[in-house]
Amino acid sequence: MAVLARDEPVRTVRRLWPADRDAVLDYFLRLDPETRASRFMGNVSEAGVRAYAAQAVTSDGLMYGAFVDRVLRGLGELRPMGPCPSRYMLGPQAEAAFAVERAFRRRGLGADLFARIARAARHRGVVDLHVRCLSGNGPMLRLAAKHGAALQHAGSEIDGALHLESPTPFSLWYEGIAEAFDFSLAVSFPNRSGSGTAA
């Protein structure tokens, strides 16, 4: 009798929107203490996490989520390092931050988030993309180095700087299509909490 192989988990990386706020909060609350400390560059209380999650999706910049079976398991943020010239441009320098739940690492989620954020930054006027992390954050250091970031030590922290190419007409068009697709996914398959499952 033939045995059917188990279906592979459905993976999606897309931009996050205000409707994803609850999923973002659930995600941050699920992080183990070490991962949470690495993400926030130090210890942060549950009250601090709740306060941050409440405004994160609507703050200047962009957020992208890595979903596994429609549950948010990895999150990347792109924030300007100065005033935003407009709602569509972030300025010449921006900072990226990433975290993936421990049980879902080594599946390429961090790499997918990094690539998506670097692409979004390139098309929003960012020339230099920075990634700061603690010196003991091995996964983040490997990810930054893999994408060609120049690493500089500053005490217990490391800054990775990645110089981005200028966008082309085709890449701008492609980014617009990707944004529209992200929005359609968010509307078609809302995920407002970490407990969401496929219908």
Side-chain angles (χ1 to χ4, degrees):
M1 176 177 166
V3 177
L4 295 177
R6 181 184 179 279
D7 290 339
E8 288 294 316
V10 177
R11 291 176 33 168
T12 306
V13 173
R14 67 165 174 83
R15 183 175 170 182
L16 300 180
W17 307 90
D20 294 302
R21 183 179 287 110
D22 289 346
V24 170
L25 173 60
D26 290 346
Y27 160 81
F28 278 130
L29 292 176
R30 282 197 309 271
L31 293 180
D32 64 273
E34 181 181 345
T35 302
R36 186 188 293 181
S38 292
R39 165 60 190 82
F40 290 103
M41 306 288 286
N43 293 324
V44 60
S45 66
E46 181 175 322
V49 169
R50 289 182 180 277
Y52 182 83
Q55 54 78 42
V57 183
T58 55
S59 293
D60 286 344
L62 304 167
M63 296 180 76
Y64 289 87
F67 293 83
V68 177
D69 288 337
R70 291 178 53 193
V71 179
L72 185 61
R73 300 298 186 183
L75 193 148
E77 300 179 55
L78 176 62
R79 304 294 182 193
M81 295 179 71
C84 287
S86 75
R87 61 181 296 194
Y88 302 105
M89 301 296 285
L90 297 178
Q93 293 193 72
E95 184 175 3
F98 302 85
V100 175
E101 288 186 53
R102 186 178 296 276
F104 291 85
R105 293 178 187 166
R106 299 186 179 277
R107 302 187 187 191
L109 298 181
D112 290 347
L113 283 168
F114 197 112
R116 186 68 184 88
I117 280 186
R119 194 174 81 204
R122 176 188 179 199
H123 295 100
R124 285 170 174 79
V126 177
V127 178
D128 293 305
L129 181 62
H130 293 263
V131 180
R132 287 175 53 237
C133 67
L134 297 175
S135 58
N137 190 344
M140 190 69 251
L141 292 174
R142 288 190 293 273
L143 188 59
K146 179 181 178 181
H147 282 81
L151 303 178
Q152 290 188 340
H153 293 256
S156 62
E157 298 181 7
I158 294 180
D159 179 87
L162 180 65
H163 189 75
L164 303 177
E165 296 180 2
S166 299
T168 65
F170 176 78
S171 69
L172 286 166
W173 172 83
Y174 185 86
E175 180 68 9
I177 295 297
E179 287 278 297
F181 184 69
D182 284 352
F183 184 74
S184 67
L185 279 179
V187 172
S188 302
F189 303 101
N191 186 301
R192 293 179 172 80
S193 71
S195 58
T197 56

